[in-house]
Amino acid sequence: MTVINTAMAVSEASLLEVGRPEFIALATLTLIILLGYIGVPLWSWSLFAAAVLSLSHPPIWVWSLFLIVALVFNVPWLRQKLLTSFVVKTLQTLQIFPKISETEKAAIEAGNVWVDGEFFSGKPNFERILNEPYPQLTPEIQSFLDGPVEQVCRMASDWEIYQRQDLPPDVWTYLKQERFFGMMIPEEYGGLGFSNLAYSAVMAKLASRSFTHVATVGVTNSLGPAKLLLRYGTEEQKHHYLPRLARGEDIPCFALTEPQAGSDAASITSSGVVFKGEDGQLYLKLNWNKRYITLGAIATLLGLAFQLHDPDNLLGKGEHPGITCALIPTKTPGVIHNRRHDPMGVPFYNSPLEGHDIIVPIGQIIGGIEQAGQGWKMIMQTLAAGRGISFPATCTGVTKLVARVAGAHAVVRKQFGLSIGRFEGVEEPLARIGGFTYMIDAARLYTCGAIDNGEQPAVVSAIAKSQTTELARRVVLDGMDILGGAGICRGPRNLLANIYTAMPIAITVEGANILTRSLMIFGQGAIRSHPYIYDEILALEQSDVAAFDQAFWSHLGLIVRNGARAGLLCLTRGRLTRSPIQGETAIFYRKLAWAAATFANLSDLAMLSLGGALKRREKLTGRFADMLAWMYLGSATLRCFEAEGQQVKDLPLVHWSMQYALAQIQQAIEGVIYNLPILGTGLRQPILGLWRLSPLGTVPSDELGHQVAQILLMPGPERDRLTRDIYLPNHTEEAVGRLEAALRLSVQTAPILKTIKNAIARGQLPPSKPSQLVDKALEKGIINTQEARSLQQAEISRSNTIQVDSFTLEEYQQKNSIPSGALHISSHVTSA
């Protein structure tokens, strides 16, 4: 405040000395913007107004009026009585703020606000963002990855799993034996007691082998009854069920989705009616029709979400307590689970489930009678963190595998005498694969650190789920494009086709991405993560003038500050802010601060101008979600780079990722500005013009993309670090091992081939493919015997690697109509 007062005093002296109205007006406006940028409190604005007023030497009555206004604004009880109470009545009459239903409130209050709140503040605290925990794998977990996880990956290839349409029996046995289904269950109940990071690392490695692994193991750990039991179950329920789940004696599933209740899960119609039996005990009579239930067909323990009805109020919670969760053994008479869906041909169990007049004791409600009617809250709180773990882990394993495969294939596969990775058309998707892989892994680790630290970041989890699955889908598409024919011909040599067909599943489940983007991320975040909106809504609902007063006037101050910050940071391209880190990444912290101020300012403009109608403007909320999501992904990327010791050779990945993220934010901001009704044509065009003249971000350059692509094309520590902790068989009987061996040989022999090419250019050898001139080059002493042998070995390896599978007509027909449990079908290979 000393600096502000001094600046004001100097400005006053200058204004008195100059005395020109134009200069006074300009200086006053400048100070208003600067004070707004700093975000001074209300009383400071009053002092500033008094200073400006004194320059015109007003009569005493003007001073008296000013004093009255200043007192009204600065004395809380006066402000509440004379101003805030009127604002409350007006807003209640106009119904500008949205009404929040009980189910919406449960979703909003599920979990807590984490770093997402920093972006809604408009002035993110990057010291806090950088100091959030960044987890590291312990030796014990690394040992589990190198031992049991490596072993289960080795036991069956993805091709074999698809041929069987199931995991082989010995894999099921091994998963149970090594407690894969109880990773998140504490040791006291017979589980492994893993952290979220450990579970994530296991899932990532399993995903690099087969999507069927992660679908099978993931549900038992992240969405099955075990999670709900651990948090809400009675002690009796925990001690009975958790050890059985940990050992795999019970296979769980969780039944939520119905034909008429998908994303709108609160509309479920499955019912449970409380009644008193002849023995005087309370029971539930259940009926349901569920679908899309993973593991449903083989589950022995069903977690069921249903609407609880209590017509006689036997539980003392009214006739309709609400959504409730219960445990139903699938051997209970009336349970039908003998069918399965076929999700994109991926052979994990996914099933419809029916229950007709099922009778179970009231004690089967998870948590007992006390938790009756609390099912929606339980589900929302479980999903609040769960989305942020399983999906980023799966996508990390998938994208790391694609990065290895696409990079190696781009070296081994040749066209026009060159490795296809040397063509800029291939470099472009390789750069996206590398940048997105780095970003996805950064988001995975950063989110895991938060959840292991006790956070339940619902908005961040929604971002992590939707963004990592969308980016992974793009990575797989790029990988398929690079592999060409080798990517589309199925068989044991094909490494990407099954992943390609599986990606829509990750996009769709646990909150379809369209819904997550257009409704959840910003719709939930704008209320829950904003510093004041939720407090204002609750205060209005309760007619609490004092609470509304505190939130409302602070909110107005925030709007002024973020408006000034957004404008000044745009004009200076973020240079007014301070970066907590010096060096090459400093610019990205300043640009993220600029982005956050603009995001917060536009958010408030949208919410205050559209009110409850903003919920229906889903294209706008989707663009706001994009801004928030890419700010989070960018922050996670920067946190990753710092946490891993500022690896200089990773800088191309960091620069590419950050430039891409900022370009997406830029695009989303332009979309909001162009479509926000409050910004009429008169404001919209100048603002858009300013943004395009001084853009927040532009797409990464071709040279930067080349540097990222080189990381994928060259064996070495950078490539290994980017793709660490996935399953990489080192024997050439498997496609990945064969491809990696061919890559190494190709890179090792590249200098020898260059020697032959130079000899051709000098006329020492006839024009031809270098691989066809090995013997002549040896005869003329251009290369030695060892070099010739290396070239021949590399060519044999390359030729073998680029083959694709083919089948006889009988084999093909058998392959596509194979009964469950049948044995592996061999394949032949043909040139790609």
Side-chain angles (χ1 to χ4, degrees):
M1 289 311 301
T2 303
V3 175
I4 297 171
N5 293 332
T6 303
M8 289 171 62
V10 171
S11 299
E12 289 174 29
S14 301
L15 294 175
L16 288 170
E17 182 179 338
V18 176
R20 288 187 297 173
E22 296 85 355
F23 187 80
I24 292 174
L26 180 60
T28 301
L29 179 61
T30 302
L31 275 173
I32 288 173
I33 294 173
L34 289 175
L35 292 175
Y37 179 87
I38 296 169
V40 298
L42 189 57
W43 64 265
S44 295
W45 284 108
S46 300
L47 288 178
F48 172 71
V52 172
L53 189 62
S54 67
L55 296 177
S56 60
H57 304 289
I60 190 66
W61 68 267
V62 174
W63 278 112
S64 300
L65 180 61
F66 170 77
L67 182 60
I68 291 171
V69 172
L71 285 173
V72 169
F73 273 96
N74 286 280
V75 178
W77 68 269
L78 273 176
R79 185 176 65 232
Q80 293 169 22
K81 200 79 172 174
L82 299 176
L83 289 178
T84 309
S85 59
F86 173 75
V87 174
V88 167
K89 290 178 182 177
T90 302
L91 291 176
Q92 287 175 332
T93 302
L94 297 176
Q95 296 184 346
I96 291 176
F97 284 88
K99 290 285 185 183
I100 301 178
S101 67
E102 288 303 314
T103 52
E104 287 177 315
K105 186 175 291 187
I108 288 169
E109 293 180 350
N112 66 317
V113 180
W114 185 45
V115 296
D116 43 313
E118 297 289 343
F119 302 116
F120 276 97
S121 76
K123 190 179 180 181
N125 181 350
F126 286 112
E127 283 83 0
R128 180 217 171 164
I129 289 172
L130 287 175
N131 286 327
E132 287 292 324
Y134 198 84
Q136 301 290 332
L137 291 176
T138 64
E140 292 77 15
I141 300 306
Q142 191 63 57
S143 176
F144 189 81
L145 288 174
D146 297 338
V149 182
E150 181 80 9
Q151 174 60 22
V152 80
C153 288
R154 190 182 298 124
M155 291 172 72
S157 68
D158 192 44
W159 170 252
E160 181 180 356
I161 293 168
Y162 268 74
Q163 292 306 106
R164 290 179 173 274
Q165 291 291 289
D166 193 3
L167 297 171
D170 58 334
V171 172
W172 277 106
T173 300
Y174 191 79
L175 289 171
K176 295 176 182 179
Q177 172 189 314
E178 297 298 326
R179 303 291 199 268
F180 276 83
F181 298 145
M183 285 189 285
M184 303 298 288
I185 296 175
E187 294 182 48
E188 63 182 291
Y189 298 111
L192 295 177
F194 278 1
S195 66
N196 287 286
L197 173 67
Y199 165 67
S200 172
V202 172
M203 289 288 284
K205 188 163 185 173
L206 291 176
S208 69
R209 183 53 155 170
S210 176
F211 191 89
T212 306
H213 276 309
V214 296
T216 303
V217 173
V219 166
T220 58
N221 284 280
S222 68
L223 193 61
K227 275 264 188 179
L228 295 174
L229 282 168
L230 283 168
R231 184 161 185 169
Y232 304 104
T234 65
E235 287 303 311
E236 181 181 357
Q237 288 171 341
K238 291 178 183 177
H239 283 93
H240 176 75
Y241 287 111
L242 289 177
R244 295 178 56 83
L245 290 167
R247 294 190 296 265
E249 293 176 15
D250 269 328
I251 299 296
C253 69
F254 188 75
L256 176 61
T257 307
E258 300 176 0
Q260 303 300 326
S263 297
D264 183 17
S267 299
I268 60 176
T269 59
S270 298
S271 67
V273 179
V274 181
F275 70 96
K276 183 176 289 188
E278 295 180 357
D279 58 0
Q281 301 299 310
L282 296 181
Y283 292 88
L284 287 171
K285 184 178 182 179
L286 297 157
N287 286 275
W288 70 80
N289 179 17
K290 302 285 187 177
R291 66 178 181 182
Y292 307 152
I293 311 305
T294 299
L295 298 183
I298 59 169
T300 61
L301 183 64
L302 164 65
L304 179 71
F306 60 93
Q307 292 283 1
L308 180 63
H309 305 285
D310 186 4
D312 299 320
N313 197 21
L314 297 171
L315 303 181
K317 296 191 173 191
E319 294 185 11
H320 304 286
I323 296 175
T324 301
C325 297
L327 297 170
I328 314 298
T330 56
K331 65 182 179 181
T332 306
V335 176
I336 300 173
H337 67 134
N338 59 355
R339 300 181 66 82
R340 63 187 291 187
H341 300 302
D342 183 10
M344 300 298 292
V346 184
F348 66 97
Y349 286 97
N350 188 268
S351 317
L353 292 174
E354 294 181 33
H356 301 289
D357 296 335
I358 310 295
I359 306 298
V360 295
I362 198 73
Q364 292 302 112
I365 292 176
I366 296 177
I369 293 175
E370 183 181 343
Q371 292 296 334
Q374 300 300 307
W376 184 241
K377 179 189 73 175
M378 294 162 64
I379 294 166
M380 288 298 99
Q381 290 180 342
T382 301
L383 289 174
R387 285 192 188 101
I389 300 298
S390 295
F391 289 97
T394 299
C395 293
T396 295
V398 164
T399 55
K400 287 183 176 182
L401 176 66
V402 175
R404 298 288 295 208
V405 170
H409 181 86
V411 173
V412 173
R413 184 75 170 116
K414 293 184 177 182
Q415 292 286 283
F416 310 108
L418 295 173
S419 293
I420 63 172
R422 295 182 61 181
F423 293 93
E424 287 194 355
V426 174
E427 269 193 357
E428 191 172 11
L430 281 174
R432 284 195 296 267
I433 292 171
F436 290 164
T437 299
Y438 188 86
M439 197 178 295
I440 289 170
D441 200 21
R444 173 185 75 91
L445 291 167
Y446 195 39
T447 308
C448 279
I451 297 173
D452 276 334
N453 198 41
E455 304 285 352
Q456 293 186 52
V459 173
V460 164
S461 289
I463 290 171
K465 186 272 176 182
S466 62
Q467 287 295 321
T468 58
T469 54
E470 289 291 350
L471 293 180
R473 172 160 64 175
R474 183 61 185 273
V475 165
V476 174
L477 283 172
D478 282 334
M480 288 288 288
D481 287 350
I482 292 170
L483 263 64
I488 63 175
C489 291
R490 291 183 182 273
R493 289 171 170 265
N494 191 311
L495 292 166
L496 297 189
N498 291 340
I499 297 173
Y500 171 80
T501 56
M503 283 312 300
I505 299 170
I507 298 292
T508 300
V509 299
E510 288 193 37
N513 284 1
I514 289 178
L515 168 83
T516 303
R517 174 180 178 266
S518 61
L519 291 179
M520 291 178 58
I521 294 174
F522 186 74
Q524 184 175 341
I527 296 175
R528 188 69 178 95
S529 305
H530 191 282
Y532 305 113
I533 287 287
Y534 195 43
D535 291 338
E536 289 170 324
I537 291 173
L538 293 180
L540 282 175
E541 287 182 353
Q542 300 162 10
S543 296
D544 188 337
V545 175
F548 184 82
D549 177 86
Q550 184 175 2
F552 179 73
W553 296 102
S554 297
H555 189 177
L556 287 184
L558 185 74
I559 292 172
V560 172
R561 188 197 74 181
N562 287 333
R565 281 179 61 81
L568 284 178
L569 291 177
C570 181
L571 290 172
T572 63
R573 305 200 69 186
R575 291 184 178 89
L576 283 181
T577 61
R578 184 183 66 86
S579 170
I581 299 296
Q582 301 306 309
E584 289 194 39
T585 59
I587 186 175
F588 298 126
Y589 291 95
R590 291 194 287 268
K591 288 202 170 189
L592 282 177
W594 170 13
T598 306
F599 165 76
N601 185 240
L602 290 174
S603 296
D604 280 323
L605 283 177
M607 286 186 281
L608 293 177
S609 62
L610 293 170
L614 182 60
K615 293 170 65 175
R616 298 186 293 276
R617 298 294 298 271
E618 294 172 16
K619 296 174 186 175
L620 270 179
T621 59
R623 294 184 183 102
F624 278 116
D626 292 342
M627 289 186 229
L628 182 59
W630 285 105
M631 284 190 290
Y632 178 71
L633 291 175
S635 298
T637 298
L638 294 173
R639 180 69 180 96
C640 174
F641 180 66
E642 296 302 319
E644 296 193 353
Q646 298 183 338
Q647 300 284 340
V648 174
K649 292 190 176 180
D650 286 348
L651 276 172
L653 293 164
V654 177
H655 277 277
W656 193 98
S657 300
M658 292 305 303
Q659 289 180 26
Y660 188 91
L662 291 168
Q664 304 315 299
I665 297 170
Q666 170 80 19
Q667 181 178 341
I669 288 172
E670 289 188 14
V672 168
I673 293 172
Y674 193 79
N675 291 281
L676 193 59
I678 195 174
L679 299 176
T681 305
L683 284 174
R684 185 177 296 142
Q685 295 305 324
I687 294 173
L688 280 171
L690 180 62
W691 266 98
R692 287 163 183 166
L693 283 173
S694 179
L696 174 72
T698 56
V699 295
S701 69
D702 293 345
E703 173 55 31
L704 183 56
H706 168 75
Q707 294 173 30
V708 173
Q710 289 305 303
I711 292 174
L712 273 61
L713 295 169
M714 291 298 295
E718 292 78 38
R719 184 171 184 263
D720 291 341
R721 186 161 57 246
L722 179 66
T723 60
R724 63 184 178 268
D725 290 326
I726 63 172
Y727 179 65
L728 292 173
N730 55 16
H731 51 84
T732 56
E733 289 80 13
E734 284 214 32
V736 174
R738 187 162 50 243
L739 184 58
E740 287 287 309
L743 168 65
R744 289 191 296 271
L745 287 169
S746 294
V747 171
Q748 289 166 8
T749 57
I752 309 172
L753 287 174
K754 187 174 182 180
T755 299
I756 295 176
K757 288 181 181 179
N758 290 337
I760 295 171
R762 292 193 300 267
Q764 294 176 275
L765 292 171
S768 185
K769 291 183 178 180
S771 59
Q772 296 175 350
L773 298 174
V774 175
D775 291 338
K776 288 187 177 181
L778 179 61
E779 289 174 9
K780 295 189 175 186
I782 296 171
I783 60 173
N784 60 37
T785 303
Q786 181 58 46
E787 289 172 330
R789 188 178 296 115
S790 296
L791 283 174
Q792 290 166 348
Q793 185 180 2
E795 182 59 25
I796 292 171
S797 177
R798 191 187 74 81
S799 179
N800 184 22
T801 300
I802 65 173
Q803 305 305 310
V804 296
D805 298 289
S806 62
F807 307 89
T808 66
L809 179 60
E810 292 75 20
E811 288 173 331
Y812 183 77
Q813 290 174 334
Q814 183 185 4
K815 177 177 75 72
N816 286 281
S817 61
I818 189 166
S820 178
L823 296 178
H824 170 76
I825 296 177
S826 63
S827 73
H828 303 282
V829 296
T830 56
S831 180

